[in-house]
Amino acid sequence: MRCRHHRPVGAVIAAVAVTLSACGGGAATGAAPHGDSTGVTAGSIVLGTTFALSGPASAYGVIPKGTQAYFQYVNDHGGVNGRRIDYRVLDDGYSPPQTVQLTRQLVQQDRVFAMVGGFGTQQQMAVRQYLNDRKVPQLFVTSGASTWGADYRRYPWSMSWLPTFATESKIYADHVRQIAPGARIGVLYQNDDFGQDYMTGLEHGLGDSARQIIDREPYDVSAADLSSQVARLRGSGADTLFIFATARFAIQTMVSAYRLGWHPRIMLSYTSAASTIINAVDRAAGSADATEGITSVGFELDPGNPADATLPGIPLYQQIMTRYLPGADQSNVFYLTGMSNAYMVVDALRRAGADLTREGLMRAAASLSESSNPFLLPGVVAKTTATDHFPITQMELGHFHRGVFQLSGTLEDTRSTVLALVGS
């Protein structure tokens, strides 16, 4: 059970309505803004993104659909300071070279005002220098790599929004040290900066106990399956398994482990801890026991989790889905992830004012104090300052029981931890 004070449903809908009213209340004057306003007209704002709509991370391809749905909702309620959002999404297939090519297309041909919500650590890092050289906002990237906040001085035009992978894995490390101090640890991780960030946090969290990691198994995103890695992890004698993987590979790992009769204590990265993914594992394994007791963290609502049904952001989410994505699977949390990101984009655009410039947008993004995002867990606040570019740092540990993610009821704020980890 969550030990919280929940905002009433009506209060959340009203708060969003007030925000949208403010977005539409100041009609654009058409006067030339004092700064770079590429992609902005009196009536529209052109935003772009690249996403893995196909390829090994295509499970996340519905995220920009949720983003688009929220933007449509905003447009139908007056837009942002009188301007409608024109959102353009291109499929990079989770391939950094494609990300580079398509980002150049959006910037040079489509002349977007900003790139928002772009997906993937390696993919977005591949275009970060390009966008910063041209002073194009790369805002609220869908990646939890520490570099987005740690390197803000070098890349002032880039910002992520997710909790950092390193602090997430430190939470798991602290948990394992508490409940199983003698654990024999195996780790499966993606062989790039995404996976390495998790490893850094894990080793930092374990401290001297890092010697208890008895097997580390990397995988490449081009891998057909991970059965050999899972077999080696099982053979190592590990009784605790950390899975730092995207959806497809996390599913393979959990199903393979169950079929081998191996039932370690599992710590699962939030990137793959959605109820839809857990249900897919149980179906493939033929048993709900396949995911029983798995530990992860949460920071946003999950419409596929019955425990979240009474939280006030869900009716708004359902309303938007029914209106703009009829027939879509509303239980898929990744649609909601897209809306959560879009809410932050709209908030930053609104705060930047009617005299909209790229410089103004980044100033607004670096001065957030957002407690009203209806798609985040109650109590989660998105905060940034000129020297702190880690918007979301609060997470809540939980466990899956019979396919339902049960949170502990206590939010853990990792802001001081992440700042210490990155040396800010």
Side-chain angles (χ1 to χ4, degrees):
M1 177 178 293
R2 293 188 177 89
C3 303
R4 304 183 180 283
H5 296 291
H6 293 159
R7 291 167 286 175
V9 174
V12 168
I13 302 278
V16 173
V18 168
T19 297
L20 294 179
S21 175
C23 288
T29 64
H34 302 293
D36 188 347
S37 58
T38 298
V40 177
T41 70
S44 69
I45 308 166
V46 182
L47 303 177
T49 195
T50 61
F51 233 89
L53 306 183
S54 62
S58 59
Y60 304 98
V62 304
I63 291 177
K65 295 181 181 180
T67 300
Q68 178 71 287
Y70 188 79
F71 287 159
Q72 289 176 293
Y73 173 74
V74 169
N75 287 343
D76 287 348
H77 288 77
V80 182
N81 293 324
R83 296 183 175 100
R84 295 177 61 83
I85 296 175
D86 177 357
Y87 181 55
R88 304 183 184 185
V89 183
L90 299 181
D91 178 17
D92 65 13
Y94 205 52
S95 166
Q98 278 292 99
T99 308
V100 171
Q101 177 184 337
L102 296 175
T103 297
R104 288 177 179 271
Q105 177 182 323
L106 287 164
V107 171
Q108 295 170 205
Q109 298 178 27
D110 292 49
R111 294 181 62 78
V112 298
F113 175 65
M115 297 290 290
V116 298
F119 180 78
T121 300
Q122 296 295 116
Q123 294 70 25
Q124 293 303 307
M125 286 175 63
V127 296
R128 180 167 57 172
Q129 188 68 60
Y130 169 80
L131 293 170
N132 276 261
D133 286 347
R134 286 151 186 79
K135 298 182 178 181
V136 177
Q138 184 184 25
L139 197 55
F140 303 142
V141 171
T142 308
S143 164
S146 302
T147 182
W148 299 106
D151 296 324
Y152 71 90
R153 292 184 181 89
R154 183 177 178 186
Y155 302 106
W157 295 86
S158 300
M159 186 184 296
S160 182
W161 70 289
L162 297 174
T164 66
F165 302 143
T167 49
E168 178 199 355
S169 58
K170 183 181 181 300
I171 289 175
Y172 302 141
D174 292 342
H175 179 64
V176 168
R177 292 182 69 182
Q178 179 181 359
I179 66 169
R184 293 168 57 81
I185 298 170
V187 188
L188 180 120
Y189 66 98
Q190 190 161 295
N191 193 22
D192 58 15
D193 287 286
F194 163 76
Q196 191 53 57
D197 228 49
Y198 273 111
M199 291 300 301
T200 298
L202 176 60
E203 291 168 353
H204 177 83
L206 289 173
D208 291 342
S209 299
R211 62 181 179 274
Q212 294 171 217
I213 301 176
I214 59 175
D215 191 20
R216 306 165 190 247
E217 293 290 337
Y219 74 88
D220 295 324
V221 296
S222 59
D225 68 70
L226 305 184
S227 56
S228 58
Q229 285 94 330
V230 175
R232 286 193 292 271
L233 284 161
R234 177 177 181 264
S236 72
D239 58 24
T240 301
L241 174 62
F242 287 77
I243 301 176
F244 301 142
T246 53
R248 170 185 165 188
F249 298 107
I251 291 171
Q252 287 183 8
T253 300
M254 289 183 281
V255 172
S256 294
Y258 186 78
R259 289 176 175 171
L260 286 172
W262 182 39
H263 307 295
R265 182 183 299 109
I266 292 178
M267 308 289 135
L268 178 64
S269 61
Y270 72 66
T271 56
S272 298
S275 60
T276 48
I277 293 174
I278 293 300
N279 291 336
V281 173
D282 289 340
R283 287 194 302 270
S287 172
D289 292 337
T291 57
E292 186 66 19
I294 286 177
T295 299
S296 191
V297 296
F299 63 93
E300 62 182 359
L301 305 186
D302 183 348
N305 187 341
D308 285 355
T310 60
L311 295 176
I314 296 299
L316 176 61
Y317 164 79
Q318 292 169 336
Q319 174 189 336
I320 294 171
M321 289 291 291
T322 299
R323 173 67 177 85
Y324 300 103
L325 289 168
D329 178 11
Q330 294 192 13
S331 69
N332 189 333
V333 69
F334 296 131
Y335 287 109
L336 184 139
T337 297
M339 292 190 197
S340 179
N341 186 293
Y343 184 95
M344 293 181 66
V345 172
V346 169
D347 191 23
L349 287 169
R350 177 181 63 81
R351 291 170 185 271
D355 187 20
L356 187 59
T357 66
R358 287 170 167 171
E359 295 87 345
L361 175 60
M362 293 309 300
R363 283 195 299 271
S367 58
L368 292 178
S369 182
E370 182 182 282
S371 60
S372 58
N373 189 324
F375 308 115
L376 300 178
L377 289 176
V380 174
V381 179
K383 295 172 59 177
T384 56
T385 69
T387 58
D388 181 351
H389 287 201
F390 295 99
I392 297 177
T393 60
Q394 294 162 293
M395 291 172 276
E396 189 168 331
L397 197 70
H399 310 276
F400 282 93
H401 174 61
R402 310 310 293 177
V404 175
F405 192 50
Q406 300 182 338
L407 292 171
S408 64
T410 303
L411 280 174
E412 180 172 347
D413 195 333
T414 64
R415 192 169 299 277
S416 61
T417 301
V418 70
L419 293 177
L421 277 174
V422 303
S424 295

PDB file of all heavy atoms in Angstrom, residues 263-276:
ATOM      1  N   HIS A 263      16.431 -19.471 -10.155  1.00  0.00           N
ATOM      2  CA  HIS A 263      15.548 -18.473  -9.554  1.00  0.00           C
ATOM      3  C   HIS A 263      16.338 -17.551  -8.623  1.00  0.00           C
ATOM      4  O   HIS A 263      16.144 -17.566  -7.399  1.00  0.00           O
ATOM      5  CB  HIS A 263      14.425 -19.163  -8.777  1.00  0.00           C
ATOM      6  CG  HIS A 263      13.675 -20.174  -9.599  1.00  0.00           C
ATOM      7  ND1 HIS A 263      12.920 -19.821 -10.697  1.00  0.00           N
ATOM      8  CD2 HIS A 263      13.592 -21.521  -9.492  1.00  0.00           C
ATOM      9  CE1 HIS A 263      12.385 -20.918 -11.224  1.00  0.00           C
ATOM     10  NE2 HIS A 263      12.788 -21.963 -10.518  1.00  0.00           N
ATOM     11  N   PRO A 264      17.214 -16.727  -9.188  1.00  0.00           N
ATOM     12  CA  PRO A 264      17.984 -15.812  -8.348  1.00  0.00           C
ATOM     13  C   PRO A 264      17.112 -14.648  -7.867  1.00  0.00           C
ATOM     14  O   PRO A 264      16.027 -14.390  -8.399  1.00  0.00           O
ATOM     15  CB  PRO A 264      19.065 -15.304  -9.302  1.00  0.00           C
ATOM     16  CG  PRO A 264      18.382 -15.321 -10.644  1.00  0.00           C
ATOM     17  CD  PRO A 264      17.510 -16.545 -10.617  1.00  0.00           C
ATOM     18  N   ARG A 265      17.606 -13.949  -6.906  1.00  0.00           N
ATOM     19  CA  ARG A 265      17.023 -12.666  -6.497  1.00  0.00           C
ATOM     20  C   ARG A 265      17.320 -11.691  -7.641  1.00  0.00           C
ATOM     21  O   ARG A 265      18.467 -11.540  -8.053  1.00  0.00           O
ATOM     22  CB  ARG A 265      17.698 -12.223  -5.202  1.00  0.00           C
ATOM     23  CG  ARG A 265      17.214 -10.950  -4.587  1.00  0.00           C
ATOM     24  CD  ARG A 265      18.048 -10.625  -3.346  1.00  0.00           C
ATOM     25  NE  ARG A 265      17.944 -11.667  -2.319  1.00  0.00           N
ATOM     26  CZ  ARG A 265      18.919 -12.504  -2.014  1.00  0.00           C
ATOM     27  NH1 ARG A 265      20.079 -12.477  -2.673  1.00  0.00           N
ATOM     28  NH2 ARG A 265      18.760 -13.415  -1.061  1.00  0.00           N
ATOM     29  N   ILE A 266      16.292 -11.020  -8.201  1.00  0.00           N
ATOM     30  CA  ILE A 266      16.497 -10.189  -9.394  1.00  0.00           C
ATOM     31  C   ILE A 266      16.265  -8.720  -9.089  1.00  0.00           C
ATOM     32  O   ILE A 266      15.237  -8.335  -8.515  1.00  0.00           O
ATOM     33  CB  ILE A 266      15.564 -10.632 -10.540  1.00  0.00           C
ATOM     34  CG1 ILE A 266      15.970 -12.027 -11.038  1.00  0.00           C
ATOM     35  CG2 ILE A 266      15.620  -9.629 -11.699  1.00  0.00           C
ATOM     36  CD1 ILE A 266      15.084 -12.568 -12.145  1.00  0.00           C
ATOM     37  N   MET A 267      17.236  -7.888  -9.507  1.00  0.00           N
ATOM     38  CA  MET A 267      17.110  -6.433  -9.493  1.00  0.00           C
ATOM     39  C   MET A 267      17.002  -5.993 -10.958  1.00  0.00           C
ATOM     40  O   MET A 267      17.929  -6.199 -11.745  1.00  0.00           O
ATOM     41  CB  MET A 267      18.336  -5.767  -8.856  1.00  0.00           C
ATOM     42  CG  MET A 267      18.708  -6.310  -7.485  1.00  0.00           C
ATOM     43  SD  MET A 267      17.545  -5.859  -6.204  1.00  0.00           S
ATOM     44  CE  MET A 267      17.377  -7.454  -5.376  1.00  0.00           C
ATOM     45  N   LEU A 268      15.880  -5.399 -11.323  1.00  0.00           N
ATOM     46  CA  LEU A 268      15.572  -5.096 -12.725  1.00  0.00           C
ATOM     47  C   LEU A 268      15.543  -3.588 -12.954  1.00  0.00           C
ATOM     48  O   LEU A 268      14.825  -2.860 -12.261  1.00  0.00           O
ATOM     49  CB  LEU A 268      14.219  -5.701 -13.090  1.00  0.00           C
ATOM     50  CG  LEU A 268      13.687  -5.450 -14.495  1.00  0.00           C
ATOM     51  CD1 LEU A 268      14.589  -6.093 -15.551  1.00  0.00           C
ATOM     52  CD2 LEU A 268      12.252  -5.985 -14.612  1.00  0.00           C
ATOM     53  N   SER A 269      16.294  -3.109 -13.938  1.00  0.00           N
ATOM     54  CA  SER A 269      16.326  -1.675 -14.230  1.00  0.00           C
ATOM     55  C   SER A 269      14.941  -1.159 -14.591  1.00  0.00           C
ATOM     56  O   SER A 269      14.131  -1.862 -15.206  1.00  0.00           O
ATOM     57  CB  SER A 269      17.305  -1.389 -15.374  1.00  0.00           C
ATOM     58  OG  SER A 269      16.919  -2.057 -16.559  1.00  0.00           O
ATOM     59  N   TYR A 270      14.665   0.075 -14.212  1.00  0.00           N
ATOM     60  CA  TYR A 270      13.341   0.640 -14.469  1.00  0.00           C
ATOM     61  C   TYR A 270      13.025   0.727 -15.954  1.00  0.00           C
ATOM     62  O   TYR A 270      11.863   0.824 -16.346  1.00  0.00           O
ATOM     63  CB  TYR A 270      13.162   1.996 -13.784  1.00  0.00           C
ATOM     64  CG  TYR A 270      13.929   3.169 -14.363  1.00  0.00           C
ATOM     65  CD1 TYR A 270      13.660   3.683 -15.625  1.00  0.00           C
ATOM     66  CD2 TYR A 270      14.907   3.813 -13.609  1.00  0.00           C
ATOM     67  CE1 TYR A 270      14.347   4.770 -16.131  1.00  0.00           C
ATOM     68  CE2 TYR A 270      15.594   4.908 -14.103  1.00  0.00           C
ATOM     69  CZ  TYR A 270      15.317   5.390 -15.372  1.00  0.00           C
ATOM     70  OH  TYR A 270      16.004   6.470 -15.866  1.00  0.00           O
ATOM     71  N   THR A 271      14.044   0.673 -16.797  1.00  0.00           N
ATOM     72  CA  THR A 271      13.819   0.691 -18.238  1.00  0.00           C
ATOM     73  C   THR A 271      12.987  -0.497 -18.705  1.00  0.00           C
ATOM     74  O   THR A 271      12.403  -0.465 -19.787  1.00  0.00           O
ATOM     75  CB  THR A 271      15.162   0.679 -18.989  1.00  0.00           C
ATOM     76  OG1 THR A 271      15.926  -0.463 -18.564  1.00  0.00           O
ATOM     77  CG2 THR A 271      15.951   1.948 -18.711  1.00  0.00           C
ATOM     78  N   SER A 272      12.938  -1.549 -17.885  1.00  0.00           N
ATOM     79  CA  SER A 272      12.221  -2.765 -18.269  1.00  0.00           C
ATOM     80  C   SER A 272      11.255  -3.246 -17.193  1.00  0.00           C
ATOM     81  O   SER A 272      10.820  -4.393 -17.223  1.00  0.00           O
ATOM     82  CB  SER A 272      13.227  -3.881 -18.579  1.00  0.00           C
ATOM     83  OG  SER A 272      14.048  -3.532 -19.667  1.00  0.00           O
ATOM     84  N   ALA A 273      10.900  -2.372 -16.266  1.00  0.00           N
ATOM     85  CA  ALA A 273      10.070  -2.794 -15.143  1.00  0.00           C
ATOM     86  C   ALA A 273       8.593  -2.454 -15.320  1.00  0.00           C
ATOM     87  O   ALA A 273       7.856  -2.406 -14.348  1.00  0.00           O
ATOM     88  CB  ALA A 273      10.589  -2.183 -13.848  1.00  0.00           C
ATOM     89  N   ALA A 274       8.150  -2.229 -16.552  1.00  0.00           N
ATOM     90  CA  ALA A 274       6.744  -1.928 -16.807  1.00  0.00           C
ATOM     91  C   ALA A 274       5.891  -3.181 -16.655  1.00  0.00           C
ATOM     92  O   ALA A 274       6.349  -4.300 -16.919  1.00  0.00           O
ATOM     93  CB  ALA A 274       6.576  -1.368 -18.212  1.00  0.00           C
ATOM     94  N   SER A 275       4.657  -2.992 -16.264  1.00  0.00           N
ATOM     95  CA  SER A 275       3.755  -4.135 -16.090  1.00  0.00           C
ATOM     96  C   SER A 275       3.561  -4.900 -17.393  1.00  0.00           C
ATOM     97  O   SER A 275       3.420  -6.131 -17.385  1.00  0.00           O
ATOM     98  CB  SER A 275       2.412  -3.663 -15.539  1.00  0.00           C
ATOM     99  OG  SER A 275       1.800  -2.730 -16.415  1.00  0.00           O
ATOM    100  N   THR A 276       3.573  -4.196 -18.532  1.00  0.00           N
ATOM    101  CA  THR A 276       3.412  -4.881 -19.814  1.00  0.00           C
ATOM    102  C   THR A 276       4.576  -5.836 -20.084  1.00  0.00           C
ATOM    103  O   THR A 276       4.382  -6.916 -20.651  1.00  0.00           O
ATOM    104  CB  THR A 276       3.310  -3.861 -20.965  1.00  0.00           C
ATOM    105  OG1 THR A 276       4.366  -2.894 -20.839  1.00  0.00           O
ATOM    106  CG2 THR A 276       1.983  -3.127 -20.942  1.00  0.00           C
TER     107      THR A 276
END
